[in-house]
Amino acid sequence: MDDFWFEFVEVTQSIGDGVLFGSTYALIGIGFTLIFGAMGKLNVAYAAAAMAGAYSSLAIYILFDAPLVVIFIVSAICAAILGYLVYLTCFRFIPVHNHLAALMASVGGLFFIDEVIVHATRGSPLAFPSMFSEAYFEVGPYGIRGDLLFVFFIGLISTGVLLYVLFRTRLGLATRAVAQQDVAARLCGMSIHLTNSTTFAVAGLLGGIAGAMTAAAVGILSPVMILPLTIKGLIVTVIGGLGSIPGAIIAGLFVGGFENVVMYFRGIDERDMYVVALLFIFLVFRPNGLFGKTITRD
Amino acid sequence: MLEVKSLSKHFGGVQAVRELDLAVNAGDIFGVIGPNGSGKSTLVNLISGVFPATTGEIHFQGQSLSNLSPHARVRAGVARTFQNIRLFPGLTVWQNLWVARNSTEDTRAEGISFRWFRKSGPVKNEIDAMLEFSGLADKGDELASNLAFGEQRRLELARAAATKPRLLLLDEPAAGMNQEEVRDLGRRIRELRQQGMTIILIEHVMELVMGITDRIVVLNFGSKIAEGEPAAIRKDKSVQEAYLGQSEDG
């Protein structure tokens, strides 16, 4: 019985840690889903731009000896600028109905950003300052890591601010109007290019925060983190339902918990395999995701 | 106010509008009728900028619209409704009007700004008046997608009017309406004219067109076959022929 109890605590502990870390996946998923909602297109370069934001903030942190608190803000701003540049290069001038061209352009964007990072860092990982890593709370048999809790907290605030902007400001309502009925939005005086580029920049803000959160939770920044983050972000987006923000939040936390418990039982080298398997299960049994609607566009 | 000069639109080999000339006077309710496929909706799409003309010019208050994007045309004062309703389904009735109302308000913002959404403040009275005008006063907080068909039509008209246009294009606003709703619509269109809007009405429902328009243009195969006052159009031989070629009143 004691063995069972010990095992139970260990498993739930790893799920809890995973859910806290999953807030980074949720943010990345929200970013993918925002852009998909606005344009009906996937921006595959999104997570790469997010990590590039974290790299830029690390560079500024080291070069200017900036205080630690600014690192999330700088990362968010850099990723927002990059998000806008990705929009300009990969989406703005590609014909609206050519989805494949936009997808391939953003895949190109992903590899381009990846190459630039590899080139600039010679491919070696860099230490990233984590916050509250020495803090540790004990709750009954469980322990909560301060850095994970902090990351979760940042994710919570960012999501809250985003939802407020989306539902309670003109920018948010205009963005949702464009997403829901783009033809009518244009003919009510809204500029599609302006709302789209703002959406990319706002998604970039979130991505930059998520990039810095990931790096802060792991303690390092490495180019090899880009592809897994991209793939997990996409998986979260699909599981949550393309275009659904609540879906992305729940799916992000779920994938975080799921991968951690898989890691507990099967080890880190098998972890991502099971996450991808989860994607296939969803694609077969619930192809529209948790909250996805069947998407029809005219 | 609106001048259309030798306007043509080809879709591949099909000529939807050919060498069309139109002049609409300020303050008029201007009817455009014609059998199905005669180019009426294409004309609305060309004026509102949904797609560019193949050749020809559109001038609005002395300004050429040809190089303006659709949202810029709205800001210049041209708004429209759609034959198939295109509301923002996930926004409330109030928000539908609010985003439209605000998108022409601030000359720099083009639909983007961090203005807080509130159901109060300077635009509240305006939007409440619009809700009253559309008979939706008690539906402000409903999602647009939950409205009945007739209510959606009314909201779309109000939303177009909310951008404060000088020229309002109505693409078959009476489609699917019963007689009472059509009379209601006619009353609303007249009221919008009284507020200073010029109106181009594309319609199959003859009762409405003949009842409220000042001038009518008849299109067939993308060309103008007649133009004049409603009474004259009713008697016009070529118009009757164009419609007799059709199986129904459309």
Side-chain angles (χ1 to χ4, degrees), chain A residues 164-165 167-178 180-192 194-196 198 202 298, chain B residues 48-50 70-71 74-75 80 82 86-91 95 98-100 102-103 106 109-117 159 163:
Chain A
Y164 190 81
V165 168
F167 285 84
R168 279 290 169 268
T169 71
R170 162 126 156 258
L171 169 70
L173 291 181
T175 309
R176 288 168 61 219
V178 170
Q180 289 167 15
Q181 182 38 268
D182 56 343
V183 176
R186 279 155 76 202
L187 291 154
C188 284
M190 289 166 236
S191 158
I192 296 280
L194 211 60
T195 33
N196 280 347
T198 319
V202 168
D298 52 6
Chain B
S48 58
V50 171
H71 71 267
V74 179
R75 300 167 76 77
R80 67 168 290 180
F82 296 88
R86 290 173 183 272
L87 294 167
F88 306 127
L91 303 190
Q95 288 171 331
W98 190 79
V99 283
N102 277 311
S103 57
D106 184 340
E110 303 203 329
I112 305 250
S113 81
F114 284 96
R115 181 193 302 265
W116 301 125
F117 170 74
R159 188 184 61 181
T163 64

Side-chain angles (χ1 to χ4, degrees), chain B residues 4 47 52 65 77 80 92-93 116 123 131 140 173 207 211-212 217 225-226:
Chain B
V4 171
I47 298 173
L65 291 183
R80 67 168 290 180
T92 66
V93 170
W116 301 125
V123 297
L131 287 175
E207 183 197 341
I212 66 169
V217 147
I225 57 170

Side-chain angles (χ1 to χ4, degrees), chain A residues 50-88:
Chain A
M51 291 308 278
Y55 267 104
S56 320
S57 74
L58 185 64
I60 287 169
Y61 172 71
I62 293 168
L63 288 176
F64 297 99
D65 206 15
L68 200 50
V69 284
V70 302
I71 210 159
F72 282 87
I73 298 164
V74 172
S75 179
I77 292 169
C78 291
I81 294 168
L82 280 169
Y84 177 67
L85 290 177
V86 167
Y87 174 67
L88 279 188

Side-chain angles (χ1 to χ4, degrees), chain A residues 124-292:
Chain A
S124 49
L126 304 172
F128 196 90
S130 59
M131 280 185 244
F132 304 105
S133 55
E134 61 292 330
Y136 191 81
F137 307 98
E138 283 187 18
V139 183
Y142 298 106
I144 300 171
R145 278 168 52 189
D147 51 353
L148 280 185
L149 197 63
F150 176 67
V151 156
F152 184 78
F153 189 62
I154 297 263
L156 209 63
I157 293 176
S158 320
T159 310
V161 170
L162 173 79
L163 290 178
Y164 190 81
V165 168
L166 270 182
F167 285 84
R168 279 290 169 268
T169 71
R170 162 126 156 258
L171 169 70
L173 291 181
T175 309
R176 288 168 61 219
V178 170
Q180 289 167 15
Q181 182 38 268
D182 56 343
V183 176
R186 279 155 76 202
L187 291 154
C188 284
M190 289 166 236
S191 158
I192 296 280
H193 289 310
L194 211 60
T195 33
N196 280 347
S197 45
T198 319
T199 306
F200 270 73
V202 168
L205 280 176
L206 288 182
I209 293 168
M213 277 162 60
T214 311
V218 183
I220 55 162
L221 256 181
S222 160
V224 298
M225 291 159 76
I226 292 175
L227 209 54
L229 192 64
T230 303
I231 290 167
K232 278 176 200 165
L234 286 171
I235 289 174
V236 162
T237 314
V238 171
I239 289 179
L242 283 167
S244 163
I245 291 174
I249 296 169
I250 290 169
L253 302 181
F254 176 69
V255 167
F258 177 80
E259 70 166 19
N260 232 32
V261 80
V262 166
M263 191 167 79
Y264 175 78
F265 284 113
R266 308 294 306 171
I268 193 163
D269 46 342
E270 283 185 30
R271 183 188 65 186
D272 291 356
M273 233 160 56
Y274 284 93
V275 176
V276 176
L278 185 69
L279 170 70
F280 289 127
I281 291 170
F282 263 89
L283 283 178
V284 171
F285 293 104
R286 212 175 156 83
N288 292 325
L290 293 171
F291 290 82

